[in-house]
C-alpha cells in the first residue's frame, strides 16, 4: 500500500512524549512489511541536522503554500530513520518552525501545522504519489480528511482512492482556534462543511473535524476508545465520537524492543534479562551512583519518567509521600519536565529527603533508559492515559509498574494476585490519594517477599507488546476502509 503518514513528532528527531515513539515505530514496521511509506514532520530548528545527515529532496522543487492571505516558501529535506531503510521527510519553513520549542502558543500555531498538512498533500501531487491511506495524528493534522474531501478532491488521479485514518493520542489537546482563522485553513470555499454552531460561536476545533470526516478514527488503546465515548473522559467530544459508531476503534500501541529491552539497550552500562536478573541490581547501583544517592541493598527504588502534567496524576502523591518517605526505607528517582507546581513538589522532597529522593528537572533520553532499567518499581498514577508507553517499557525491564486502572494502563498491566502468583503490576482503581497510598504500601510489602517480587518481575518480562503484531492491526484497518 501507499501510505502517507503525518505527525508533529518523530523520535529521535523530535519528541516530547509517546507520540514521537509511536510515529517512528509504526511507520518503521509498515515499511519493513513492504509498504511505500511517506512520513512527514516539520523541520523544527531544534532538530540536530548535523547528527542525522540531512539532504535536500531533489524530486520536490521548493514551492509556496498559499493559505488565505498567507504564503510560505517551503522545501523538503530527508534523513534516514534510525533502525530502518525508511527516509523521513522534513518540511523546511524557517518562518514557521524556527521556534524555541516544538509547540508554541504563538498566534500562528494553527498555521504551523496547516502548512505541514497542505504541503504533504501537495508533495504527493508533485510526486504523483497516490496514497491508499493518509494516516493523521492528533489535532495538528486532523483537518487533512476534510482537505481531501474539498480542496484536493479535484485531483482524482492522485487522491481518487485515498482513505483517511485519524489517530487520537490524547483527546485533551484539540487545537481550538478562533473562527477568524477559517481562511487560514485553505478551505474558505467549504465553510459550510465546518461545524456551523461552533463557527457561529467563534470557534474552529481541528480535532473535531478529523472525528467528523476521517474514514476511521483510532485511539491508542481499547479501554481509552471506550472511555472517550462517555462524558467523564470525552472532553466535550464524546457525543461526536459516539456518532461515528463503528468507525471508532482502539489499537494498543506497541513497543520498539530494539530500543527498549534490557538485553540490548545501548544506553545502559550493564545488560540483563529474565533468565539473568542479577545485573539489574548492578544497574540500580549505577543509577543511584549517577544521581548521587546511597545504595543500600534491600531498599526499594521507585522511578518516575514523565511529562509533568495534570494528566499523569502525581498530585495524588502530595498528601502522603513525605510521611511515607519519613517512615519507610525507600528511595525515589524522578525525571520530568512540565508544570512548575509539580516540579516544585519534587524539588521540595529532594531538599527534605537528601538520601532518598533525586529529581532531574529536564528531558534526557539516556536517563529515561537508566531509570526504566535501574528502578524496582515504576510509578504512573494517571488520571487518564490514552495508552502509556512507560509502563510497557517497565514490564520488559523487570521494573514493576504501579498504575491506575485507566486507558492503556488497564490494557497492559494486570493486578498481582499472590495466591495465583499471577499478574504483572500493582493496579488501583479510584483516582484518589488513598488508592495510590494503598498501591505504594502493597509495593513495599511485595518487595519484602523476595520470591513473590521475583515472580512478579518475571511475569512482566514475559509480556510482549511488539509492533510486529500491532502494525498488522493497522494494515487490516487500512484494507477495511
Ligand atoms: P505521554 O506521551 O503522555 O507523555 P507515554 O508514556 O506514551 O506518555 O510516552 C512518554 C515517552 O516520553 C516515553 O518514551 C518516555 O520515556 C518519554 N519521556 C517523557 N518525559 C521524559 C523526560 N523528561 N525525559 C526523557 N524522556 C521522557
Ligand atoms: C499521548 C498519550 C499517551 C500515549 C502517547 C502515544 O501522548 O498521553 O498515553 O501513549 O500519546 O500514543
Amino acid at each position: 500500500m501507499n501510505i502517507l503518514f503525518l505527525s508533529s513528532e518523530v523520535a529521535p528527531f523530535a519528541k516530547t512524549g509517546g507520540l514521537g515513539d509511536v510515529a517512528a515505530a509504526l511507520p518503521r514496521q509498515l515499511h519493513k512489511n513492504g509498504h511505500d511509506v511517506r512520513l512527514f514532520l516539520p523541520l523544527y530548528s531544534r532538530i540536530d541536522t548535523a547528527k542525522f545527515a540531512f539532504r535536500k529532496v531533489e524530486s520536490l522543487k521548493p514551492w509556496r503554500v498559499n493559505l488565505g492571505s498567507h504564503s510560505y516558501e517551503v522545501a523538503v529535506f530527508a534523513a534516514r530513520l534510525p533502525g530502518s531503510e525508511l527516509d523521513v521527510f522534513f518540511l523546511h519553513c524557517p518562518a514557521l518552525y524556527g521556534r524555541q520549542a516544538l509547540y508554541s502558543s504563538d498566534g500562528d500555531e494553527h498555521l504551523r501545522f496547516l502548512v505541514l498538512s497542505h504541503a504533504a498533500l501537495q508533495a504527493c501531487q508533485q510526486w504523483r504519489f497516490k496514497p491508499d491511506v493518509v494516516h493523521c495524528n492528533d489535532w495538528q493534522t486532523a483537518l487533512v480528511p476534510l482537505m481531501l474531501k474539498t480542496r484536493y478532491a479535484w485531483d482524482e488521479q492522485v487522491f481518487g482512492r485515498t482513505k483517511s485514518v485519524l489517530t487520537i493520542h490524547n483527546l485533551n489537546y484539540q487545537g481550538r482556534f478562533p473562527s477568524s482563522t477559517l481562511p487560514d485553513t485553505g478551505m474558505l470555499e467549504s465553510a459550510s462543511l465546518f461545524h456551523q454552531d461552533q463557527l457561529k460561536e467563534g470557534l474552529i476545533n481541528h480535532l473535531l473535524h478529523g472525528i467528523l470526516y476521517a474514514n476511521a478514527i483510532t485511539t491508542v488503546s481499547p479501554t481509552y476508545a471506550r472511555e472517550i465515548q462517555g462524558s467523564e473522559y470525552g472532553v466535550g467530544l464524546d457525543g461526536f465520537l459516539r456518532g461515528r459508531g463503528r468507525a471508532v476503534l482502539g489499537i494498543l500501541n506497541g513497543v520498539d524492543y530494539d530500543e527498549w529491552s534490557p538485553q540490548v539497550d545501548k544506553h545502559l552500562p550493564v545488560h540483563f534479562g529474565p533468565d539473568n536478573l542479577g545485573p539489574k541490581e548492578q544497574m540500580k547501583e549505577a543509577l543511584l551512583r549517577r544521581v548521587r544517592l546511597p545504595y543500600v541493598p534491600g531498599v526499594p527504588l521507585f522511578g518516575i519518567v514523565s511529562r509533568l502534567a495534570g494528566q499523569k496524576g502525581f498530585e495524588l502523591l502530595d498528601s502522603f509521600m513525605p510521611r511515607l518517605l519519613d517512615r519507610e526505607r525507600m528511595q525515589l528517582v524522578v525525571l520530568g519536565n512540565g508544570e512548575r507546581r509539580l516540579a516544585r513538589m519534587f524539588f521540595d522532597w529532594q531538599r527534605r529527603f537528601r538520601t532518598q529522593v533525586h529529581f532531574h528537572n529536564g528531558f534526557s533520553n539516556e536517563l529515561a533508559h537508566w531509570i526504566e532499567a535501574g528502578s524496582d518499581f515504576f510509578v504512573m498514577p494517571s488520571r487518564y492515559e490514552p495508552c502509556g508507553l512507560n509502563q510497557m517499557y517497565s514490564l520488559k525491564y523487570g521494573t514493576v509498574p504501579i498504575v491506575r486502572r485507566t486507558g492503556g494502563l488497564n490494557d497492559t498491566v494486570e493486578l498481582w494476585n499472590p495466591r495465583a502468583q499471577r499478574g504483572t503490576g500493582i493496579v488501583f482503581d479510584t483516582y484518589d490519594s488513598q488508592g495510590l497510598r494503598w498501591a505504594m504500601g502493597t509495593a513495599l510489602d511485595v518487595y519484602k517477599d523476595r520470591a513473590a517480587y521475583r515472580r512478579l518481575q518475571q511475569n512482566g518480562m514475559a509480556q510482549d507488546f511488539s509492533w510486529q503484531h500491532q502494525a498488522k492491526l493497522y494494515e487490516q484497518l487500512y484494507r477495511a476502509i
Side-chain angles (χ1 to χ4, degrees), residues 144-392:
V144 168
L146 184 55
M147 291 173 192
L148 288 167
K149 288 191 192 321
T150 57
R151 184 159 161 174
Y152 298 89
W154 66 269
D155 195 350
E156 285 193 14
Q157 267 194 18
V158 173
F159 298 116
R161 53 170 202 207
T162 304
K163 296 289 168 57
S164 58
V165 173
L166 169 69
T167 296
I168 300 171
H169 296 264
N170 193 331
L171 194 67
N172 286 55
Y173 301 93
Q174 300 181 358
R176 296 151 62 96
F177 299 100
S179 51
S180 56
T181 60
L182 183 63
D184 301 350
T185 63
M187 294 184 281
L188 189 57
E189 294 74 30
S190 310
S192 64
L193 293 177
F194 283 75
H195 191 282
Q196 295 300 296
D197 293 344
Q198 292 193 351
L199 212 50
K200 279 191 205 112
E201 286 161 20
L203 180 75
I204 300 176
N205 180 324
H206 287 214
L207 192 65
L208 167 61
H209 290 88
I211 292 170
L212 293 174
Y213 290 111
N215 292 101
I217 300 109
T218 71
T219 187
V220 287
S221 71
T223 297
Y224 192 61
R226 276 196 306 279
E227 287 173 339
I228 58 177
Q229 297 188 52
S231 60
E232 190 185 348
Y233 293 91
V235 209
L237 296 180
D238 45 306
F240 298 104
L241 286 159
R242 285 196 300 277
R244 290 302 316 267
R246 291 175 52 175
V248 179
L249 78 160
I251 298 179
L252 193 72
N253 283 333
V255 173
D256 180 355
Y257 287 122
D258 291 335
E259 184 64 22
W260 295 96
S261 293
Q263 292 92 339
V264 298
D265 191 323
K266 56 182 184 298
H267 302 285
L268 302 185
V270 289
H271 294 94
F272 56 91
D275 304 321
N276 175 30
L277 260 170
K280 183 172 164 72
E281 196 64 18
Q282 291 159 30
M283 186 60 230
K284 176 177 171 181
E285 249 187 285
L287 169 63
L288 287 169
R289 205 175 316 122
R290 175 176 176 151
V291 302
R292 296 201 194 85
L293 291 181
Y295 166 75
V296 182
V299 173
L301 174 60
F302 294 75
I304 290 175
V305 177
S306 186
R307 290 186 294 117
L308 300 183
Q311 168 190 351
K312 301 297 178 180
F314 298 121
E315 68 210 12
L316 294 186
L317 289 167
D318 202 15
S319 65
F320 67 84
M321 200 60 186
R323 231 175 322 138
L324 197 64
L325 284 161
D326 212 24
R327 224 177 34 214
E328 297 283 343
R329 281 154 48 88
M330 62 186 288
Q331 290 174 308
L332 175 68
V333 174
V334 182
L335 166 64
N337 61 356
E339 288 177 26
R340 201 172 286 155
R341 66 185 172 103
L342 293 168
R344 261 203 299 268
M345 179 178 86
F346 290 123
F347 272 130
D348 178 49
W349 299 348
Q350 173 171 258
R351 194 176 40 76
R352 287 162 64 187
F353 304 96
R354 288 191 182 282
T355 59
Q356 287 173 282
V357 179
H358 175 84
F359 175 41
H360 181 100
N361 189 201
F363 193 95
S364 161
N365 188 41
E366 187 185 83
L367 186 56
H369 284 255
W370 279 53
I371 293 175
E372 285 291 359
S375 305
D376 299 305
F377 294 96
F378 193 88
V379 187
M380 211 168 160
S382 305
R383 178 188 287 273
Y384 70 91
E385 196 60 74
C387 177
L389 298 173
N390 280 305
Q391 81 283 8
M392 292 195 267

Side-chain angles (χ1 to χ4, degrees), residues 9-25:
E9 300 186 15
V10 176
F13 306 105
K15 162 174 167 179
T16 67
L19 171 62
D21 290 355
V22 172

